[in-house]
């Protein structure tokens, strides 16, 4: 100590900067005060690495990388003793949950997890993360030392580094010497696509349960290895709003326990204490509800944690902005608020540590012994092994246990697709999920046929039951049955060797088949499809089945290349030694069509819904591995459309669409795929047959309604009468049309709006329609339910030599509506051949 003091005095005399502390604060490390400028992600990483090297009660883990190669980090902070036994604490916590077996060590520390900056353009988060980290690791901080006696704190400084840097680089590139606080200055208007989303324009705070994205797979993967008792997701909202913290708004999902509700209030009151002391404005219990399972608050809640969202006002606020009330909101203030709630949360959780751990244990005991919901077993029929595998992968990512088959084969259960209770046989490869397991709450939330939704406005979609999303026949069974096996008895198809095929057949029913087609086309292997079902070699093949014939592929080492590719992909193909089939049209028939290898282009840029566009982009690049050209919609009159065979118009606002060149391109043989609002933009355009179906004009206000004059306070409730925040509807499907290939004669669509169109004319094809009452699940306002009837949602129009595909709903929504992927692939590869 004397030595140190001496050094300080000498250093001060010599003009050397003096650090009284052993650990540098962010300001000392970065060389500027937090809030003076935005810190690029690599500097945040450097600070975390520095602290990990300097503070001995920390452990830094890189658990993944982003699409653009940035590191994903989690910093573990604990007492000096606990940091040495982190792995033991982790296993112990999983034992408390009953996920791992073994004796539980008593007095286990509580785990508080703080996640920052999932939305890249809500950047105060990562700045606050550095300050919070400093306070928790600073050896001179007595308070945090106390908290860490019974707490492990985990800080993920940035869940979305690619998005954060997109925002920070934008802001730094346009700001002046002094920040311009005027809201209309350009530094407060981000260019398309904005920094909220990740590289593929996915909203990572809608992806927790689906884990479609690389970042979420890594972060939720780590989350499930730990299962923290408390999780906070730090955000920013519109800058005119005061701070929001827990307790959340209604609706709460019914499976959220009273304890989870109550402790949110305890945490909220502790936050409020500090906000009151400072005179800072805040609100609770409004706006942010707890229903949709893929958020950073609900997902932890369904996993036994206290999951919460904290929202600072600040999107697009830059370093300073004048708010509606005439005050100037600065980044410095925004950081201070997030810093305060972060520490306040750690404090109050530490003060209640034992109770929080006990309740966490209770949640899991209950989950295993008394699972929620009326169904105690779910059976997923294995009509297609590859489709069931996709679901199995998703369940596995979420730690949900399942098996295959039942010892007693005949079972009675609720059929999701007919709504009837039926007796049926369980086959050995049917997927069986027993509800008596640690993750039974999450299981119930994801599989219950209808989510209970109180009559209330919500922030997001209200229906997601997996059997509809995956298009898999499923039964809910009230009795508890254990699966007979933990492994499917379907073995990966053995590689074919020494075959000499006239042709090879692949099914066309799942994304695995689309991947196989993509791989064939990329190798310039010619592929055909059968427009009609046929039977050969004792097998039945549905319409759309892929045929790779020797004819046309003589230049390659045909048998070896095709069988090897199938083997590499674990994909089942059937060799045919003759073109003469048992039933149906022969392989050489006119009913077997050649699939032209399409050059696909996708509109991007201003006006396009970046998330909808990103879903298409991600689908091609990351899911089926097929090349796609991204072109700016603004360049439509400049580019040579003739270079492309397929042009995809994702959802967006196509203002002043001059459709003449589009129409000409289609007439010359192009295929236009219009999705969601892009469909609306083609209404009344020359050559396009699409007509919007308006709600009936006979809405004469009846006398009763007239008498009750509407109240201003009810305005939100009135608005939801004509809204569909995301509900499931059943369509009749013409599966003889290429757009319907691989489907039964129905399809479950996730509707995000009440858009529906008039049936197309005699020369066109109405492939997906709703005749009467297609509503299945989710919230749909009274008016909207009436409107979505007797109309077209999937259609194909011929135009000259080309065709237009109308997809009124989004089949690739957040990449979790698994069954939509085949529908979309039909539009791209099958229609118009
Ligand atoms: Zn956010």
């Amino acid at each position: 100590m004397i030595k140190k003091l001496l050094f300080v005095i000498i250093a001060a005399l010599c003009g050397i900067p003096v650090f009284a502390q052993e650990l540098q604060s962010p300001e000392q490390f970065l060389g500027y005060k937090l809030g003076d400028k935005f810190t690029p992600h690599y500097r945040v990483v450097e600070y975390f690495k520095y602290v990990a090297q300097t503070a001995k009660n920390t452990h830094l883990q890189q658990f993944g990388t982003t699409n653009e190669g940035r590191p994903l980090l989690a910093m573990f902070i604990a007492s000096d003793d606990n940091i040495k036994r982190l792995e033991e604490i982790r296993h112990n916590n999983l034992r408390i949950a009953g996920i791992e077996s073994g004796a539980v060590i008593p007095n286990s520390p509580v785990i508080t997890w703080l996640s920052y900056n999932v939305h890249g353009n809500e950047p105060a988060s990562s700045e606050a993360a550095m300050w919070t980290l400093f306070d928790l690791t600073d050896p001179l901080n007595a308070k945090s030392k106390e908290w860490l006696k019974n707490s492990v704190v985990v800080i993920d400084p940035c869940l979305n580094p690619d998005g954060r840097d997109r925002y920070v680089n934008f802001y730094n590139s346009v700001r002046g010497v002094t920040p311009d606080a005027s809201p209309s200055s350009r530094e407060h208007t981000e260019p398309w696509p904005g920094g909220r989303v990740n590289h593929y324009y996915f909203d990572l705070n809608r992806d927790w349960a689906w884990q479609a994205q690389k970042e979420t797979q890594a972060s939720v993967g780590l989350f499930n290895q730990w299962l923290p008792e408390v999780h906070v997701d730090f955000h920013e909202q519109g800058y005119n709003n005061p701070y929001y913290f827990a307790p959340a708004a209604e609706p709460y999902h019914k499976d959220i326990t009273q304890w989870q509700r109550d402790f949110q209030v305890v945490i909220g009151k502790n936050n409020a204490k500090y906000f009151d002391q400072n005179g800072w404005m805040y609100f609770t219990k409004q706006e942010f509800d707890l229903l949709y399972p893929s958020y950073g608050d609900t997902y932890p809640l369904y996993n036994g944690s206290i999951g919460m969202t904290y929202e600072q006002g600040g999107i697009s606020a830059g370093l300073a902005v004048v708010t509606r009330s005439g005050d100037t909101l600065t980044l410095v203030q925004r950081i201070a608020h997030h810093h305060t709630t972060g520490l306040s949360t750690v404090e109050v959780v530490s003060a209640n540590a034992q109770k929080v751990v006990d309740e966490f244990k209770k949640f899991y005991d209950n989950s295993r012994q008394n699972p929620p919901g009326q169904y105690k077993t779910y059976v997923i029929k294995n009509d297609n092994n590859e489709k069931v595998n996709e679901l199995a992968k998703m369940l596995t990512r979420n730690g949900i246990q399942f098996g295959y088959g039942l010892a007693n084969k005949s079972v009675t259960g609720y059929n999701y697709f007919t709504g009837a209770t039926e007796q049926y046989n369980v086959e050995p490869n049917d997927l069986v999920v027993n509800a008596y397991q640690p993750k039974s709450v999450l299981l119930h939330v994801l599989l219950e046929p209808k989510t209970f939704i109180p009559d209330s406005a919500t922030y997001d979609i209200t229906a997601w039951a997996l059997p509809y999303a995956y298009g898999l026949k499923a039964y809910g069974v009230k009795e508890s049955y254990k699966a007979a096996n933990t492994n499917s008895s379907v073995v990966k198809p053995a590689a074919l060797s020494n075959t000499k095929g006239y042709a090879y057949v692949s099914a066309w029913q799942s994304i695995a088949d689309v991947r196989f087609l993509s791989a064939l086309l990329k190798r310039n292997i010619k592929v055909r499809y059968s427009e009609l079902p046929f039977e050969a070699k004792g097998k039945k093949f549905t319409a759309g089945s892929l045929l790779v014939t020797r004819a046309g592929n003589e230049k390659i080492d045909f048998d070896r290349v095709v069988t090897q590719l199938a083997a590499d992909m674990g994909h089942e193909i059937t060799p045919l030694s003759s073109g003469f089939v048992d039933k149906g049209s022969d392989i050489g028939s006119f009913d077997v069509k050649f699939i032209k290898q399409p050059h696909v282009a996708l509109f991007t840029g201003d006006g396009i819904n970046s998330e909808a566009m990103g879903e298409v982009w991600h689908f091609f690049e990351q899911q089926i591995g097929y090349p796609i050209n991204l072109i700016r919609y603004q360049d439509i009159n400049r580019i040579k459309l003739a270079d492309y065979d397929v042009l995809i118009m994702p959802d967006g606002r196509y203002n002043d669409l001059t459709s003449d060149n589009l129409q000409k391109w289609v007439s010359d043989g192009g295929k236009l795929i219009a999705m969601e609002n892009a469909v609306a933009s083609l209404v009344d355009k020359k050559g396009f047959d699409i007509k919007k179906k308006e709600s009936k004009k006979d809405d004469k206000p009846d006398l009763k309604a007239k008498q009750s004059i509407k109240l201003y306070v009810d305005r939100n409730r009135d608005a939801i009468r004509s809204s569909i925040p995301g509900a499931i509807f059943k369509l009749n499907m013409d599966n003889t049309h290429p757009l319907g290939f691989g489907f039964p004669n129905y399809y479950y669509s996730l509707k995000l709006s009440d858009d529906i169109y008039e049936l197309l004319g005699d020369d066109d094809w109405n492939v997906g329609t709703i005749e009467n009452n297609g509503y299945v699940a989710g919230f749909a306002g009274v008016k909207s339910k009436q409107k979505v009837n007797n109309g077209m949602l999937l259609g194909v129009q011929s135009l000259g030599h080309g065709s237009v595909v109308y997809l009124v709903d989004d089949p690739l929504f957040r990449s979790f509506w698994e069954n939509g992927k085949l529908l979309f692939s039909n539009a791209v590869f099958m229609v118009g051949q």
Side-chain angles (χ1 to χ4, degrees):
M1 199 61 200
I2 293 167
K3 244 185 182 171
K4 197 176 168 189
L5 195 68
L6 209 64
F7 166 77
V8 169
I9 294 164
I10 294 168
L13 290 172
C14 302
I16 299 169
V18 175
F19 304 120
Q21 300 152 324
E22 287 169 17
L23 184 71
Q24 290 185 33
S25 69
E27 180 179 348
Q28 288 164 331
F29 182 85
L30 298 167
Y32 54 87
K33 205 166 150 267
L34 281 183
D36 279 356
K37 60 165 119 173
F38 288 111
T39 310
H41 183 256
Y42 80 94
R43 291 290 283 159
V44 178
V45 171
E46 283 175 358
Y47 184 64
F48 270 68
K49 284 185 175 167
Y50 157 75
V51 174
Q53 282 160 7
T54 315
K56 60 180 192 303
N57 64 332
T58 59
H59 171 71
L60 184 63
Q61 182 181 352
Q62 179 176 347
F63 61 87
T65 50
T66 67
N67 284 294
E68 296 173 17
R70 294 182 178 87
L72 296 166
L73 301 177
M75 180 74 103
F76 295 81
I77 309 150
S79 67
D80 292 352
D81 287 340
N82 282 338
I83 203 74
K84 290 177 203 141
R85 54 175 203 111
L86 266 189
E87 261 309 275
E88 186 186 297
I89 292 169
R90 184 175 78 79
H91 286 296
N92 198 50
N93 201 52
L94 295 177
R95 269 180 241 134
I96 292 172
I99 285 171
E100 286 186 4
S101 56
V104 171
I105 306 165
N107 303 319
S108 191
V110 67
I111 301 159
T112 303
W113 196 296
L114 310 175
S115 292
Y116 296 85
N117 225 152
V118 64
H119 292 141
N121 62 356
E122 299 170 8
S125 299
S126 293
E127 312 283 347
M130 290 188 279
W131 190 3
T132 308
L133 172 67
F134 172 71
D135 274 342
L136 291 172
T137 51
D138 176 10
L140 304 179
N141 192 322
K143 270 191 191 170
S144 61
K145 268 211 174 105
E146 196 57 36
W147 302 335
L148 292 173
K149 280 182 184 164
N150 61 12
S151 301
V152 172
V153 181
V154 188
I155 296 185
D156 181 334
C158 189
L159 279 82
N160 179 12
D162 293 349
R164 176 181 171 86
D165 269 1
R166 194 178 311 126
Y167 174 78
V168 169
N169 290 336
F170 147 73
Y171 186 85
N172 288 340
S173 69
V174 298
R175 62 163 292 190
V177 177
T178 50
D180 185 347
S182 154
S184 43
S185 63
R186 73 167 172 167
E187 66 194 61
H188 300 299
T189 311
E190 260 185 291
W192 194 92
R196 176 182 177 88
V197 285
N198 78 341
H199 177 78
Y200 284 106
Y201 309 160
F202 273 66
D203 185 333
L204 298 180
N205 191 34
R206 302 292 183 276
D207 194 38
W208 277 68
W210 325 131
Q211 297 154 51
Q213 295 302 294
K214 203 178 178 214
E215 292 87 352
T216 329
Q217 279 171 18
S219 61
V220 179
L222 185 69
F223 181 94
N224 277 317
Q225 287 170 27
W226 277 89
L227 295 177
E229 278 80 14
V230 176
H231 180 259
V232 187
D233 204 28
F234 288 87
H235 287 256
E236 291 191 82
Q237 50 181 330
Y239 56 70
N240 287 308
N241 290 354
Y243 201 100
Y244 160 82
F245 47 74
E250 296 288 344
Y252 281 46
H253 191 282
K254 277 170 88 179
D255 291 351
I256 295 172
T257 65
Q258 192 57 44
W259 156 255
Q260 288 175 317
R261 285 173 169 260
D262 292 347
F263 198 62
Q264 282 195 63
V265 176
V266 174
I267 292 175
K269 285 191 171 166
N270 205 54
N271 289 341
K273 184 177 81 186
Y274 293 104
F275 275 56
D276 290 342
Q277 280 169 14
N278 287 292
W280 296 337
M281 299 275 272
Y282 60 89
F283 68 99
T284 64
K285 306 181 281 291
Q286 284 179 302
E287 195 75 22
F288 301 98
D289 63 71
L290 297 173
L291 203 61
Y292 174 72
S294 264
Y295 289 131
D297 51 17
T298 46
Y299 186 89
L301 280 162
Y302 303 148
N303 283 281
S305 181
I306 308 294
M308 295 170 298
T309 294
Y310 291 176
E311 298 264 358
Q312 164 65 38
I315 296 177
S316 294
L319 293 179
V321 74
V322 177
T323 64
R324 204 182 289 137
S325 53
D327 301 319
T328 300
L329 175 71
T330 64
L331 180 60
V332 173
Q333 294 165 339
R334 289 152 58 195
I335 296 169
H337 301 163
H338 267 345
H339 170 253
T340 300
T341 52
L343 292 181
S344 154
T345 305
V346 174
E347 176 189 52
V348 70
V349 173
S350 167
N352 295 276
Q354 193 55 51
K355 171 81 174 154
V356 176
V357 175
D358 290 348
E359 289 289 344
F360 175 80
K361 181 174 187 304
K362 228 186 256 176
F363 177 94
Y364 275 99
D365 287 349
N366 236 327
S367 296
R368 294 192 315 275
Q369 292 153 16
N370 186 22
Q374 54 175 326
Y375 303 125
K376 304 305 174 196
T377 312
Y378 299 92
V379 177
I380 318 291
K381 295 297 290 175
N382 191 335
D383 291 337
N384 179 291
N385 198 45
E386 285 170 323
K387 276 173 89 165
V388 172
N389 278 345
E390 291 298 324
L391 178 65
K393 278 191 244 169
M394 190 267 182
L395 297 175
T396 304
R397 285 199 297 271
N398 286 295
I400 294 171
Q401 300 157 0
F402 56 88
Y404 296 87
L406 285 183
N408 47 326
K409 285 173 76 178
S410 183
V411 163
T412 303
Y414 168 86
N415 181 334
Y416 278 64
F417 287 1
T418 62
T421 299
E422 303 166 357
Q423 196 172 12
Y424 62 97
N425 278 337
V426 182
E427 308 298 327
N429 290 317
D430 291 348
L431 195 149
V432 174
V433 195
N434 184 288
Y436 290 84
Q437 62 165 301
K439 294 280 193 131
S440 68
V441 172
L442 183 64
L443 169 70
H444 178 238
V445 172
L446 295 175
L447 267 127
E448 62 184 334
K450 290 180 203 294
T451 304
F452 172 79
I453 303 135
D455 173 31
S456 175
T458 167
Y459 205 64
D460 213 294
I461 62 166
T462 53
W464 46 77
L466 297 182
Y468 304 119
Y470 280 73
L472 287 166
K473 207 179 276 174
Y475 293 90
V477 184
K478 288 186 174 163
E479 293 77 27
S480 165
Y481 293 111
K482 288 251 184 302
N485 300 299
T486 45
N487 290 315
S488 162
S489 65
V490 177
V491 267
K492 283 273 175 201
L496 299 167
S497 57
N498 296 323
T499 50
K500 195 167 182 317
Y502 175 89
Y504 292 88
V505 196
S506 159
W508 184 257
Q509 285 176 326
S510 78
I511 189 169
D513 304 316
V514 182
R515 275 189 207 115
F516 185 59
L517 171 64
S518 165
L520 291 165
L521 293 179
K522 272 202 304 192
R523 285 163 182 75
N524 294 316
I525 298 170
K526 288 184 176 157
V527 189
R528 293 170 163 79
Y529 71 76
S530 173
E531 204 164 43
L532 298 170
F534 66 97
E535 288 182 39
K537 255 185 126 174
K539 281 191 183 175
K540 287 182 178 174
F541 296 97
T542 58
S545 294
L546 303 175
L547 286 152
V548 193
T549 57
R550 182 176 298 277
N553 289 310
E554 298 91 345
K555 281 185 188 154
I556 56 168
D557 185 356
F558 178 65
D559 296 289
R560 193 189 59 79
V561 171
V562 176
T563 56
Q564 188 59 48
L565 187 61
D568 290 349
M569 300 179 76
H571 190 69
E572 188 180 350
I573 52 173
T574 306
L576 301 182
S577 52
S578 166
F580 190 98
V581 303
D582 301 339
K583 251 188 199 172
S585 306
D586 289 326
I587 307 304
S589 146
F590 296 113
D591 297 325
V592 174
K593 309 274 185 194
F594 174 65
I595 300 177
K596 194 179 169 216
Q597 186 178 336
H599 289 109
V600 185
L602 170 66
F603 276 146
T604 72
D606 276 330
I608 310 287
N609 175 343
S610 57
E611 287 176 39
M613 175 258 149
E615 288 158 7
V616 178
W617 183 20
H618 184 262
F619 177 75
F620 276 92
E621 284 198 346
Q622 296 293 332
Q623 299 187 46
I624 64 166
Y626 192 82
I628 184 163
N629 298 95
L630 309 186
I631 57 178
R632 291 192 337 141
Y633 165 59
Q634 287 72 18
D635 298 337
I636 183 172
N637 294 320
R638 212 164 54 72
I639 46 184
K640 211 170 125 205
L641 285 178
D643 288 346
Y644 306 105
D645 306 297
V646 175
L647 182 56
I648 300 168
M649 292 175 82
D651 184 42
R653 282 175 290 106
Y654 293 85
N655 295 339
D656 339 301
L657 175 71
T658 42
S659 56
D660 292 357
N661 50 356
L662 268 185
Q663 189 212 345
K664 184 177 179 306
W665 171 79
V666 177
S667 301
D668 290 347
K671 177 162 63 182
L672 186 67
I673 302 176
M675 305 170 79
E676 301 179 86
N677 270 324
V679 177
S681 72
L682 296 172
V683 171
D684 295 333
K685 293 287 187 307
K686 199 175 89 190
F688 296 93
D689 294 348
I690 190 85
K691 281 188 190 68
K692 207 151 198 170
K693 196 167 174 294
E694 299 301 341
S695 12
K696 280 192 207 131
K697 286 277 178 269
D698 63 3
D699 284 350
K700 282 181 209 139
D702 61 309
L703 280 173
K704 220 173 159 193
K706 225 177 177 179
Q707 277 161 6
S708 63
I709 292 168
K710 69 174 182 183
L711 295 178
Y712 183 68
V713 70
D714 289 336
R715 62 198 183 282
N716 288 339
R717 196 152 302 276
D718 288 342
I720 64 173
R721 282 156 55 86
S722 45
S723 92
I724 295 184
I728 299 170
F729 282 73
K730 188 176 185 175
L731 276 56
N732 300 319
M733 194 78 154
D734 174 4
N735 62 1
T736 66
H737 189 281
L739 187 58
F741 281 171
F743 289 96
N745 59 6
Y746 53 84
Y747 171 74
Y748 290 91
S749 193
L750 181 69
K751 281 203 72 58
L752 304 172
S753 72
D754 60 6
D755 286 351
I756 187 161
Y757 290 81
E758 298 284 356
L759 293 179
L760 294 168
D762 287 346
D763 299 336
D764 306 327
W765 303 103
N766 295 289
V767 182
T769 54
I770 292 187
E771 272 166 36
N772 237 322
N773 193 18
Y775 168 79
V776 176
F779 183 81
V782 186
K783 284 186 184 172
S784 294
K785 251 190 207 168
Q786 285 166 357
K787 191 187 157 195
V788 182
N789 250 329
N790 302 314
M792 184 278 289
L793 290 170
L794 301 168
V796 178
Q797 176 199 339
S798 306
L799 176 55
H801 297 289
S803 47
V804 187
V805 182
Y806 300 108
L807 305 176
V808 178
D809 303 323
D810 180 3
L812 302 179
F813 185 69
R814 293 179 189 165
S815 196
F816 92 94
W817 205 257
E818 198 60 36
N819 210 23
K821 293 173 183 174
L822 184 71
L823 176 67
F824 182 74
S825 303
N826 280 339
V828 174
F829 294 108
M830 297 297 187
V831 171
Q833 299 288 354

